[in-house]
Structure formats: structure tokens, C-alpha cells
Amino acid sequence: MTPSTYDVVLVGGGVMGSATAYHLLRADARLRVALIEQDPTYARASTTLSDGNMRVQFNIKENIQMSLYGLEVLARFGDEFAVDGDRPDPGFRQQGNLFVIDEASHDETRDGLAQQQRLGGMVEWLAPEQVRAAYPLYENLDGCVGGTLGRQDGTMSPLAVLQAYRKKAIALGARFIQAEVAEVLRDGGRAAGVALASGERLSAPAVVNSAGPWASRVAHTAGVRLPVSPTKRQVTTVEVAARPGHILPALFFPSGLYCIHEGGGLFMIGKSFPDDPVGLEDFSWERRRFEELIWPELVELMPSFDRLKITGGWAGLYEVNTFDGNAILGEWPELPGFYLANGFSGHGFQQCHAVGRYTAELILGRPHALDLAVFAASRILENRPAYESRRKLSESLFEKGCARAMPSHSLLAGGGHECGRRPPEKVDILEGLRPSKPPFSDSF
């Protein structure tokens, strides 16, 4: 029988919830910690659908510092998260991230680069000819005034990181509960635990909302309205005839188009759009969106992608913070005991290390190894956005606004953040594309 009383209950057992549970128990092994996850297969969790990318290249100081701390954790990952002699390997591949810079973003990028370098980030400015040398397949440099290359940036296995945090937290004493949370309980003006869909109640003086795209539903049951919108993003995997001699950096264009080289002629391609669907049920991958919306731009920038095979694709959910695009952290001012780790807008996977530690410090009243007060939940009520860019946010990400957040009813306690890489199942598509000669052929 499941115990009914805990010190901390975490709603959402993805990487953010698991990291927080780990840091709580690492700080105090006596704590009674419950980690609640509706789907232990993580088939739709944003953690496992993440592209697994980590970057130092941010503008806000605290975002940079979170990434640098994450790099420290990854350097000792196998030792820190070993359980019974089993040393997990996150498969961290530091191939670098290359951001293409246009005139509109030049000045702000230069300022951000200086900040990254001051804090110890290994990021450098590249002239256009150096950008081309770093990524030979990028041939059409019209509009490119330079680029920034983060040498420490790279990709890894999100599932391996999640499993390591979850396994270590359980080994330290966390109780993993497969259940659906229906309501955050309140008593005397503060959080008091959760009610499960089964009717069972778990009491706790601290409840953490780590439910990823489901965050708004969880919060609504506690009477809290969060500007977090579950937004579908999709990734397409392709194969081209070109075979670079080494793994190329992940490439990011000003429009939001990105391309991650997986080796040989294999690439992952993605981009967000203003009409990306909002909701919690649609995980369908749409080939049409790649063919009609992404491929033409891709070919214009990299002509060698004129002929390719679509080898797969999948979709996952971002938890888009429609207020300012950054994390919403800490205790909700109007409901003591209700802690938030939400709204990461695609940054959550890479920030789980620092946010898990910070949330545990807040709950336990410990000094902060890294002060993340700039992302305090109170800024939502006080209308103090923390924009990553001085130009605020791209309209393609945030024009939907808070009004499109999902309504609340019986919730699914999902966990995790970001969408993109290595889903449990991929769409099996092996068809070639060629812009100049539809219908599409199977050959390059």
C-alpha cells in the first residue's frame, strides 16, 4: 500500500522532477519524497522526445550559468549517478553549436558573446568565410554577417540522462508512483498534497509542479493560472548524398530553422511556426509541413539538400512560456508550498541540472549555489518579464498569448521538456524528395 504522507510530492516524473527528487534526497536522506508519473514508458514525455541539445549561447547571465553548471555535471556524470556499480553514459557529443547571425541580431549577439566569454564559455565569433569553412554544406551565405560557435555545446541522449536521475533518486529513497494526478490539494491557504485520479490522497507540505507541457492543467487545479501553452513541434530525419568527413556542428539559422548532423548523410531538421498546434493530444508527425514549409528554405540555404530521403519523423510538446519565454521557478506567491519548475520553452532538458538543485534548495531553505531569482514566479504577477532578447521574442513563438493555454480538467501528470530527438517509435518513411521533379523518387 502506498504511504499517504510525504515531505515533498513532485507532479511529473520527467527529467525535471527526477532531478529535483535527486537533489532533495542528496541534501537530506531522511526526506519522504514521492515522484508521480502517469506514464512510466515516457512515450509522450518531452524529455524523451527532446533533441538532447545543450548550449552555452544565451544572453541572460543566469541561463549561461545554468548551462555551465550542466557541463560540470556531465563531466562527472558516470561517477555521480552510478548505482550498484552501473555508471550511466549520457552519450554527450560536443560537436558544437553554430548560430548564423544576420544584421538584425548582430549587436545583441556580440553583447551576448562577450557575456558568455566573461563567464567562462568557450564561444567564438566567426566571419562569414569561417562559417562556411565550419559547415561546408551551408553554401548560400546571403544575409550572413557572421556566426558564433560554441565549442562546449553538443547533443546527448535525453533518455539516458532521465534514467540516470530517476534511478539515482529511487536508490536514495524516492518513491516512484505511477498515477494520474487529478488535483493539487489546499488547506488553510497553502498547498497540502495531491489527489490522484484513483481517489487516493497524498499529503505533503510541499508540492512541485514539474509536469512539463501539462503544467497549466496542474496549476489550474490549485487555482493558479500559468502562461504555459503545450505546443507541438516536430522533427524530420533525412539522408542526403553528401558525406561530411566528420560530425558537423548543429546549425541554427536566424529564421529558427535548425539542422543537427547525426553522422554520414543523416540529419535532423526542425523549425517552429506561428501556427504550431496547441494541445496535449496531437503527437502526429506531418510530412507535409516539412515538404511545404521547411524544405524550400533548407534547399535555398544548402543546395546539396535538393535531393534527399525522408527517413523518419516525430512530434513532441514544448511547454511554451507565453509571458517571456523563460523558466518559471519557485514558490507561487499566492499559494505557499506550491513550487513551480515550468515554462522552459525548449530549454528545460539542458537546464534540469541547475533547476533541480535550485528547487531543492528553495524547498529546504538552503543557500543557493546559483541564484535564479530572475526567473521567480512572482514576476508573472508583477508583470516583470525576463526576456532573453532585447528584441523580446520572435512572434512565431509567442503570439498565441495566454488565452490559448489549455483548459483544466482531469490532468495527465506528464514530465519533461523540449521536443526533438530519438522517440520511442519513429515513422517508417523511406522516400526520396526532389523539388524539380515531382512525384518524388526514391533515389538521390
Side-chain angles (χ1 to χ4, degrees), residues 255-269:
S255 67
L257 175 68
Y258 69 87
C259 183
I260 298 179
H261 185 205
E262 290 290 296
L266 302 176
F267 294 83
M268 296 194 304
I269 313 293

Side-chain angles (χ1 to χ4, degrees), residues 68-408:
L68 291 172
Y69 173 66
L71 290 171
E72 294 176 14
V73 174
L74 290 169
R76 59 176 187 266
F77 200 81
D79 292 331
E80 182 167 342
F81 293 95
V83 175
D84 296 330
D86 181 17
R87 300 175 72 257
D89 180 6
F92 188 27
R93 184 185 64 194
Q94 291 178 282
Q95 79 270 38
N97 283 353
L98 175 57
F99 284 81
V100 176
I101 308 304
D102 59 11
E103 189 63 44
S105 59
H106 174 271
D107 292 347
E108 185 172 43
T109 297
R110 283 288 200 174
D111 291 343
L113 175 62
Q115 172 102 292
Q116 295 151 21
Q117 293 173 336
R118 280 195 300 271
L119 292 170
M122 295 173 58
V123 187
E124 60 189 280
W125 176 264
L126 302 183
E129 60 272 17
Q130 293 174 304
V131 171
R132 175 172 287 167
Y135 209 100
L137 300 184
Y138 174 32
E139 298 178 42
N140 181 4
L141 272 70
D142 290 350
C144 170
V145 300
T148 56
L149 178 60
R151 300 285 183 182
Q152 297 159 295
D153 300 346
T155 54
M156 69 201 79
S157 167
L159 179 59
V161 174
L162 165 58
Q163 288 177 330
Y165 267 114
R166 178 180 178 272
K167 187 174 181 180
K168 189 69 172 186
I170 292 172
L172 291 175
R175 180 176 290 272
F176 187 89
I177 301 172
Q178 179 184 354
E180 180 182 339
V181 171
E183 182 183 0
V184 175
L185 302 175
R186 292 170 287 174
D187 183 34
R190 62 171 297 118
V194 298
L196 305 182
S198 64
E200 186 177 1
R201 293 187 168 219
L202 308 180
S203 64
V207 176
V208 179
N209 183 350
S210 53
W214 287 261
S216 289
R217 279 193 176 183
V218 174
H220 191 89
T221 69
V224 174
R225 182 173 175 80
L226 286 183
V228 176
S229 183
T231 305
K232 187 175 86 167
R233 297 286 157 75
Q234 71 174 42
V235 169
T236 301
T237 59
V238 305
E239 183 178 2
V240 299
R243 295 293 190 272
H246 62 278
I247 299 292
L248 299 175
L251 185 63
F252 299 84
F253 293 98
S255 67
L257 175 68
Y258 69 87
C259 183
I260 298 179
H261 185 205
E262 290 290 296
L266 302 176
F267 294 83
M268 296 194 304
I269 313 293
K271 183 180 179 180
S272 61
F273 294 94
D275 64 344
D276 284 335
V278 173
L280 292 167
E281 304 303 326
D282 183 6
F283 284 79
S284 62
W285 173 78
E286 300 174 75
R287 177 191 177 111
R288 175 192 63 81
R289 292 182 75 84
F290 175 79
E291 292 178 357
E292 298 178 4
L293 302 177
I294 295 178
W295 191 34
E297 179 184 0
L298 184 64
V299 172
E300 181 179 357
L301 294 164
M302 296 193 285
S304 59
F305 282 71
D306 172 72
R307 298 171 65 117
L308 55 78
K309 290 181 181 179
I310 294 180
T311 59
W314 64 90
L317 299 179
Y318 269 42
E319 50 169 327
V320 175
N321 173 358
T322 59
F323 179 66
D324 62 13
N326 273 304
I328 304 171
L329 305 179
E331 198 170 31
W332 186 251
E334 296 177 345
L335 186 62
F338 186 51
Y339 293 85
L340 307 176
N342 305 127
F344 296 93
S345 305
H347 309 153
F349 171 72
Q350 62 187 298
Q351 294 182 339
C352 69
H353 316 284
V355 171
R357 180 180 64 174
Y358 180 72
T359 304
E361 291 166 347
L362 287 174
I363 294 170
L364 299 176
R366 303 286 179 87
H368 304 312
L370 176 58
D371 187 358
L372 301 179
V374 66
F375 302 126
S378 58
R379 79 183 191 279
I380 307 298
L381 297 175
E382 297 166 0
N383 195 26
R384 292 185 293 102
Y387 290 119
E388 174 64 25
S389 170
R390 289 197 300 263
R391 294 174 292 132
K392 296 189 177 180
L393 303 163
S394 73
E395 292 181 2
S396 66
L397 194 61
F398 299 105
E399 68 182 16
K400 299 177 179 67
C402 299
R404 294 188 62 181
M406 289 297 294
S408 174

